């Protein structure tokens, strides 16, 4: 089942007045996938999610569900589960009543309904809270209710709009774990909007990166992180060091460097900080740099290094036993393997 | 004593002098005039006339409250959720009555509803009725006049509640497949319950003290408590009875308020 395409978007576009909220987005979502829509605010990711759910109309393009054209289907016809930003729980109903609401609409029998509600409450770990109103619950608990309500009628697809944005960091991590577990256990397709790249990389099987209404890249987390398709993706995901190539494209900042094969067609090379190391005797790519700043982060320290061309690089060193940290203004050599760098 | 308490002293003094003292005077009057003791209360609470008036007042005020709050709910829905044009028109309809005095409005309804009024004349001219329908000097006219006055007041608490409704909750309900009817009855209405409660409170308490409108439109046919108190003060001077009736009224309103406010806290989301 893991390989059947469930949802296809073909050149989907959305205009608000003459503003392109979304332009020409095409992507496939496979059954059972956990797809994160990642991008800065205003990138169109939430617009795309609400259009998938049927809460907004497309201006152009079409959407297919299991091969059928669902472009003009309403949200209820699509029947996807949705977890809204801010949860959108019914404030006047208890936890159990909130979860039962969609089942009541779908005319489940009393017995089936109460069994299912109990099961969902159990599943999201809210036993003992069934009769509380949402306002008596913490943010994390409300989030669980929203999840349980959206999953209660076993939708084929669950859409989540920045579900964790209101939670503090620890709770966020915990909820992410639970979401992964739910996804593993249920096998439902999850489409998840977030602006937090770590969250996207940690949770999903696939990540789609949006910027200014356009899809930049889609792939597995390691694909998009290690082989970014363009400068935006490279800079948006994690830390990246970008260095201008010298005019004759033989190196960086006056030092000859072994460049990736296609570098001659580009002006920059990029490199993740974790692929850099302090240069040793045998290293080929050795770049002289000066330490400009150092930030202590606990287990590691972040150094800001400056090349001879005046460009800043980010570099992490472990704060273990070993070499003492370098002084500000000290000169160092950093090195990397050519295969870890890429031209942009 | 905290220094800021000093700042509210003038207000407290003013309220004390203008409300509390006269009120204590009334309480005193109710226990002393003409006989010391509970005789006045005994009379007010046993005399069939005054009991009838209290009963009628409560019944009419309840009807007025239901009519006002229900109409105001519909009007507020238009005001809060209508198209821009509908909103503007509704807003005018809510605001304009505030600029017209209660007396003019009562006379307005009189000229509309009386036997030779606009409505009866039109209906007769159109041949729909043979002789005028009695629409004034009765409870119907009082309910119409009072509701008309009170609806704009009910609009504001309702509007506050409706504006606080999170649109996403309605979207969520719609996405789960709930019909518009179900969304209204099971989601929107309960979510605006605090506004309904507030409007009910305001209108009910307000309506109990009405004097001009029932006096003009009721034409003496439907004597309400305020009119009876007036009668006891200005026409058959029995100030002790009037005072006792005022105190009874106040306690009744206070009790109802207390009950409603307790309930209000339950429904506030």
């Amino acid at each position: 089942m893991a390989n059947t395409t469930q949802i296809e978007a073909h050149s989907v576009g959305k205009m608000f007045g003459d503003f392109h909220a979304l332009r020409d987005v095409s992507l496939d979502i496979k059954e059972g996938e956990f797809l994160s829509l990642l991008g800065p605010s205003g990138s169109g990711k939430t617009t795309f999610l609400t259009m998938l759910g049927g809460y907004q109309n497309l201006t152009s393009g079409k959407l297919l569900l299991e091969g059928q054209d669902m472009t003009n289907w309403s949200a209820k016809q699509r029947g996807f589960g949705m977890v809204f930003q801010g949860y959108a729980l019914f404030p006047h109903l208890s936890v159990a009543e909130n979860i039962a609401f969609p089942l009541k609409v779908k005319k489940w029998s009393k017995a089936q309904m109460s069994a299912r509600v109990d099961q969902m409450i159990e599943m999201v770990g809210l036993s003992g809270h069934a009769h509380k109103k949402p306002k008596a619950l913490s943010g994390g608990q409300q989030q669980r209710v929203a999840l349980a309500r959206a999953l209660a009628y076993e939708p084929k697809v669950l859409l989540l709009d920045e579900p964790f944005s209101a939670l503090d960091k620890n709770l966020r991590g915990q909820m992410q774990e639970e979401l992964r577990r739910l996804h593993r256990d249920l096998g439902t397709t999850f489409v998840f909007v977030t602006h937090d790249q770590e969250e996207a990389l940690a949770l999903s099987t696939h990540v789609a990166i949006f910027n200014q209404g356009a899809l930049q890249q889609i792939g597995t987390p390691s694909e998009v992180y290690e082989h970014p398709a363009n400068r935006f993706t490279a800079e948006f995901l994690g830390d990246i060091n970008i260095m201008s190539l010298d005019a004759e494209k033989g190196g960086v900042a006056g030092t000859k460097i072994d460049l990736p094969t296609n570098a001659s067609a580009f002006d920059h090379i990029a490199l993740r900080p974790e692929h850099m190391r302090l240069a040793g005797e045998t290293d080929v790519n050795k770049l002289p740099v000066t330490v400009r700043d150092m930030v202590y982060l606990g287990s590691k320290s972040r150094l800001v290094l400056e090349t001879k061309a005046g460009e800043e690089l980010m570099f992490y060193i472990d704060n273990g036993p070993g070499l003492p940290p370098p002084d500000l203004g000290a000169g160092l050599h950093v090195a990397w393997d050519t295969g870890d760098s890429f031209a942009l | 004593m905290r220094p800021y308490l000093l700042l509210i002293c003038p207000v407290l003094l003013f309220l004390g002098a203008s409300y509390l003292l006269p009120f204590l005077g009334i309480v005193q009057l109710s226990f002393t005039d003409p006989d010391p003791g509970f005789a006045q209360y005994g009379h007010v609470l046993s005399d069939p006339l005054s009991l009838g008036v209290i009963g009628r007042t409560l019944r009419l005020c309840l009807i007025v409250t239901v009519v006002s709050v229900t109409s105001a709910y519909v009007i507020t829905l238009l005001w809060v959720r209508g198209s821009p044009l509908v909103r503007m028109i509704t807003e005018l309809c809510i605001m304009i009555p505030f600029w017209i005095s209660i007396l003019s409005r009562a006379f307005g309804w009189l000229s509309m509803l009386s036997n030779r009024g606009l409505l009866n004349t039109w209906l007769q001219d159109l041949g729909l009725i043979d002789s005028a329908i009695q629409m004034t000097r009765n409870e119907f006219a009082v309910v119409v006049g009072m509701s008309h006055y009170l609806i704009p007041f009910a609009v504001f608490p309702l509007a506050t509640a409706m504006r606080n409704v999170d649109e996403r909750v309605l979207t969520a309900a719609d996405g789960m497949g709930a019909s518009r009817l179900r969304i209204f009855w099971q989601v929107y209405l309960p979510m605006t319950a605090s506004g309904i409660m507030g409007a009910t409170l305001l209108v009910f308490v307000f309506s109990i003290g009405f004097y001009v409108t029932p006096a003009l439109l009721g034409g003496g046919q439907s004597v309400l408590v305020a009119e009876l108190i007036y009668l006891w003060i200005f026409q058959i001077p029995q100030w002790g009875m009037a005072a006792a009736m005022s105190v009874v009224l106040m306690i009744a309103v206070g009790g109802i308020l207390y009950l409603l406010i307790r309930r209000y806290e339950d429904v506030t989301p």
Side-chain angles (χ1 to χ4, degrees), chain A residues 55 75-76 78-84 98-106 108 116-117 120 146-159 188, chain B residues 172-177:
Chain A
Y55 297 98
K76 50 185 97 165
R78 297 181 196 194
F80 298 164
M82 173 102 182
V83 175
F84 290 83
N98 260 285
I99 299 172
F101 189 91
L103 305 180
K104 237 186 256 172
V105 170
K106 293 188 166 48
W108 284 35
R116 182 69 179 159
V117 168
M120 296 309 294
L147 267 172
R149 186 180 66 177
L151 287 168
Y153 50 93
E154 297 179 319
K156 292 177 184 164
V157 178
L158 178 68
L159 309 174
T188 309
Chain B
D174 178 64
M176 286 176 225

Side-chain angles (χ1 to χ4, degrees), chain A residues 38 194-202 225 235-239:
Chain A
L38 177 65
T194 182
H195 60 262
D196 180 335
Q197 33 121 343
E198 269 180 50
E199 189 166 271
L201 295 177
Y225 184 76
E235 288 185 310
F236 190 70
L237 282 180
D239 296 329

Side-chain angles (χ1 to χ4, degrees), chain A residues 6 9 14 50 66 71 104 108 135 145-146 166 201 203 207 211 221 226 232 241 254 262 289 294 322 338:
Chain A
Q6 192 172 26
K14 177 73 184 175
T50 48
E66 287 158 0
T71 314
K104 237 186 256 172
W108 284 35
K135 69 174 171 186
V145 180
L201 295 177
L203 287 175
V207 180
N211 187 38
E226 283 164 27
F232 174 81
N241 292 316
N262 58 346
V289 290
M294 188 171 78
T338 307

Side-chain angles (χ1 to χ4, degrees), chain A residues 11-37:
Chain A
S11 311
V12 167
K14 177 73 184 175
M15 306 275 290
F16 292 112
D18 50 11
F19 170 71
H20 276 279
L22 216 53
R23 56 183 102 204
D24 203 21
V25 173
S26 298
L27 54 82
D28 289 356
I29 304 173
K30 296 205 164 68
E31 215 174 300
E33 207 170 274
F34 191 138
L35 173 69
S36 286
L37 310 177

